Each structure stands twice: as C-alpha cells, then as structure tokens.
Amino acid sequence: MPIEEQIRRLEQAHGIRTDAQRALELSLYMEDMFRDIVLVSRQARPETARYGPEGWASWLDARLYARQNLHREMSVDLMAEIHRRLQIRHDPESAGLMEGTRRWGWAILGRPVSQSELAVIEDNPLLTHVPGPFRTEPHGVVWYPKVDGQPGAREVRWLDAPPTEEELAAIRNDPLRGYVEPGVPLPNQGVILYPNFGSVDNTRAFHESLCDWYDVATRQPDHNPYEVAPEFQRQFISGHAWRGDGHGRHSRILMNFALEQAGCPPSAVAKFDGLSMSSTEWADAVKAGSDRYRQWQDKLERSGGDIDPMDLFDLGPTMQRYQQMGGQSFMPEDWHDKAGYERLHTQLRSGQ
C-alpha cells in the first residue's frame, strides 16, 4: 500500500495520535543532536527528515514487531524478522539476511580517537582500530584474521610488493581474507575494522551464542536489565554482521526489546556511541536514557497526550539560540555529516 498509508496504520498500532506522541517515539529513533535540530528548525515532518518516509515506516514496523513479541526468548529468528522489517522497503535483497564472507567492513572515523576510546576498542575482542592516515598505497592492503585461520577479529597488512596472480587467487579463495587495491580513497582519521565470520553458518553461530549468553544472564536471580541489555547491544553491534545499512537501529530495537521485556522503559540514549564507551559508561548512558524516556512519557500523560514537542523536550532555549544563529541556513545539508551536526548541536546547547 502507499507509504503514507503504511505510516498511518503503523502509528495507529503504536497508539500514536499526536505530534508529541510521535516525538516521543522519535526520541528512540534519533539521537539528540539530530532530533533536536529537526525539531527546532521546525521541519514539517521531523520523523522523515533523515531516512525519509520509508525509514520511519520501517522503524515503526520493526519496533511494533518487537513490542508484540516480548513474550518470546531472544533468538536469531527474532533478530532476522526485525532486520527484515527494517530493510524490506529500501533494500529487499538484504532484508532478513546475515553476512557470510566480508571482504571489507569498517566504521569510518570522523576524528582521531582519544586514549580512553582506544582502550575500549582494544579491549573489544571483535574490533580492531587502524589509525589514520589510512592509505592503500603503494601495493594495496590485505585483510586477514587476527588469529590465523579463525573467524572473528581482523587485522590489516600493507603489501611490500605488488601481489602476483597466484597470491590474488589465494586471497579470493580464502573467505577470511580480502584485498584492497592501491588508489582506493580511504578516510584520513582511520577506521575500526568489524569482524569477518567467513560464512553464514559461522555468523549464525555467533548470534546463537549471543542469544545463549542473554538467556543465561536474564535467568539469574540478580539480573539487572540495565547491565544485560546494554552489553547485549554492544556485542551485537560489534559483530556488525547483517546485510545492508541500519545496524545501529537494529541493535537499538533489540536493546529496547530486552529492556521492555524486563518491564523497563525503552532507552532514549542521548548519543549512540556505545562502542567507544566502557561497559559501565554505556550501561549508565542507557539507564539515563530509560529514565528520561519515563519522565517524558509521564509528562506526556499529564498533558493528555498532546503537548508541543518543543515543550516535551524543553527545547525553547535551544530554538531561541538556533534562531539567533541564523536559523535554517545553519543546518548541515548532509545527514551523514555526523561531526557537523555534533558541532551545531554543541553550539545550540552551549547557553544552557
């Protein structure tokens, strides 16, 4: 059916009737810097500003499925259906599918990592930091397993001579290795390498072990959802093992599934940056996000479900600052310019 009709029905199923109710769900969909800017700039459809109507419909669809299945245990099938609903509208060939062999796969850094962030990355058994400037010259680079012959974390080796045809054939035939030729433009600030599991079976085994860990953790008598759910999300996104984009949204829906399954509010995390925080810091951030979601939810209920989103999130001073800075002309054009949005958001909040 037409996308707007899909949105109307999905919002209705979520109980969304007002702009404020929609904004509350938006607090789970966008981190603060994007949500605040689209709201203070008075975008006509703030929920569609970043990923379009298809992105919003997909989020609502996947979240609704998660909320309707809180009685189920965590499973790979549950993960796959959430992924399918997130992807089907814009990338149907990837919907619901895990990666097998990953030749490349990285997070591009917009700035150098700090020493504390580097320590967190180095402590993560699935991730590898490669500092910038990152170049493939003069003869290309090879991705290879950190532990020889084992799926998982990877490292990079710069070749000291052009590879022969035999060497290239050997790399192509090895599901755990990959080659990047010279001249490929890569970021100056470095990258974080995601793991390569080498096959769909190995990828599934990783997720099954993660589900087993979750099930064991949640059955403990002293189970703390604000420790288990954030750690589950960190491990899940470290694997980064589903096809297409949207790993962050996928991981957050699963994290909020874990929180709501335990009877806690979902978490409106201020900044989705768990891979650069320690486990304790990320758990604290998720707990804070859950607490403020509950506060916003209570405020919305006291208002009868209808309040200006600006008032719901106390954005009056931020909007005033935005207008003083020139308004619309200060809005970065590229939604992927996360660093630009972060700078603008810092400026907007500097007077508070």
Side-chain angles (χ1 to χ4, degrees):
M1 68 181 69
I3 193 65
E4 293 300 337
E5 179 62 16
Q6 292 181 46
I7 290 174
R8 187 189 70 80
R9 294 190 182 193
L10 287 164
E11 289 187 341
Q12 187 176 49
H14 278 277
I16 295 173
R17 303 289 187 274
T18 67
D19 287 343
Q21 291 168 336
R22 189 175 297 109
L24 184 63
E25 184 65 26
L26 189 65
S27 72
L28 305 175
Y29 181 56
M30 289 184 187
E31 55 190 317
D32 284 14
M33 62 183 174
F34 294 116
R35 186 202 65 231
D36 290 353
I37 291 171
V38 297
L39 288 175
V40 301
S41 61
R42 291 296 192 183
Q43 298 292 304
R45 296 282 301 280
E47 70 280 2
T48 68
R50 192 164 189 214
Y51 299 111
E54 291 78 12
W56 181 238
S58 298
W59 171 267
L60 293 171
D61 193 1
R63 270 271 292 155
L64 182 64
Y65 179 80
R67 294 176 64 192
Q68 290 174 336
N69 284 274
L70 294 176
H71 61 284
R72 292 174 53 183
E73 289 188 338
M74 188 71 74
S75 70
V76 178
D77 289 343
L78 181 78
M79 296 175 182
E81 182 58 22
I82 289 172
H83 184 266
R84 189 189 71 80
R85 291 174 185 240
L86 279 172
Q87 294 288 105
I88 193 67
R89 290 170 179 79
H90 58 279
D91 188 9
E93 293 183 357
S94 297
L97 300 178
M98 292 175 284
E99 292 279 8
T101 299
R102 171 185 279 139
R103 300 298 184 180
W104 293 18
W106 53 41
I108 297 174
L109 299 174
R111 57 173 177 77
V113 297
S114 67
Q115 286 301 311
S116 61
E117 290 170 333
L118 181 59
V120 170
I121 295 167
E122 290 180 340
D123 193 47
N124 190 318
L126 292 174
L127 303 180
T128 303
H129 174 248
V130 183
F134 194 107
R135 297 287 183 269
T136 59
E137 287 75 20
H139 306 298
V141 297
V142 176
W143 285 186
Y144 66 98
K146 184 172 286 189
V147 179
D148 188 36
Q150 296 298 312
R154 302 184 295 166
E155 292 186 348
V156 173
R157 180 174 67 245
W158 278 259
L159 299 180
D160 54 13
T164 65
E165 286 301 319
E166 291 78 10
E167 289 171 332
L168 288 175
I171 293 170
R172 285 193 295 268
N173 291 329
D174 185 343
L176 296 179
R177 289 195 293 168
Y179 172 68
V180 184
E181 63 188 18
V184 175
L186 295 172
N188 288 329
Q189 302 296 347
V191 298
I192 296 175
L193 303 183
Y194 291 120
N196 176 19
F197 296 107
S199 70
V200 172
D201 286 345
N202 287 342
T203 303
R204 187 176 186 91
F206 164 77
H207 287 94
E208 287 175 344
S209 68
L210 183 56
C211 291
D212 290 343
W213 173 88
Y214 174 84
D215 289 338
V216 170
T218 54
R219 289 173 185 148
Q220 300 306 307
D222 58 348
H223 160 232
N224 182 348
Y226 292 114
E227 293 178 356
V228 173
E231 184 59 26
F232 177 87
Q233 187 273 345
R234 275 166 53 89
Q235 294 185 42
F236 178 88
I237 201 168
S238 294
H240 221 77
W242 295 78
R243 293 189 184 179
D245 296 327
H247 288 88
R249 280 162 281 164
H250 192 190
S251 74
R252 293 196 303 277
I253 288 176
L254 289 168
M255 180 183 74
N256 286 326
F257 169 88
L259 290 174
E260 291 182 288
Q261 191 174 59
C264 303
S267 180
V269 180
K271 185 177 181 181
F272 307 138
D273 205 14
L275 291 183
S276 63
M277 298 182 187
S278 69
S279 294
T280 300
E281 290 170 335
W282 181 233
D284 289 344
V286 171
K287 174 66 164 59
S290 182
D291 288 344
R292 68 178 189 159
Y293 182 92
R294 188 195 299 273
Q295 292 169 1
W296 290 334
Q297 191 176 47
D298 290 346
K299 187 175 183 179
L300 186 58
E301 289 177 359
R302 290 195 300 271
S303 73
D306 196 4
I307 185 177
D308 191 321
M310 302 289 291
D311 295 329
L312 178 65
F313 299 129
D314 296 316
L315 288 176
T318 304
M319 183 174 184
Q320 185 177 19
R321 177 75 169 158
Y322 179 79
Q323 292 171 339
Q324 291 170 347
M325 291 171 60
Q328 189 74 19
S329 63
F330 281 88
M331 195 169 182
E333 296 179 359
D334 184 0
W335 282 102
H336 296 284
D337 181 14
K338 188 170 182 177
Y341 270 84
E342 194 164 8
R343 287 192 299 270
L344 175 56
H345 192 249
T346 299
Q347 286 180 287
L348 294 174
R349 306 286 289 190
S350 61
Q352 296 178 238

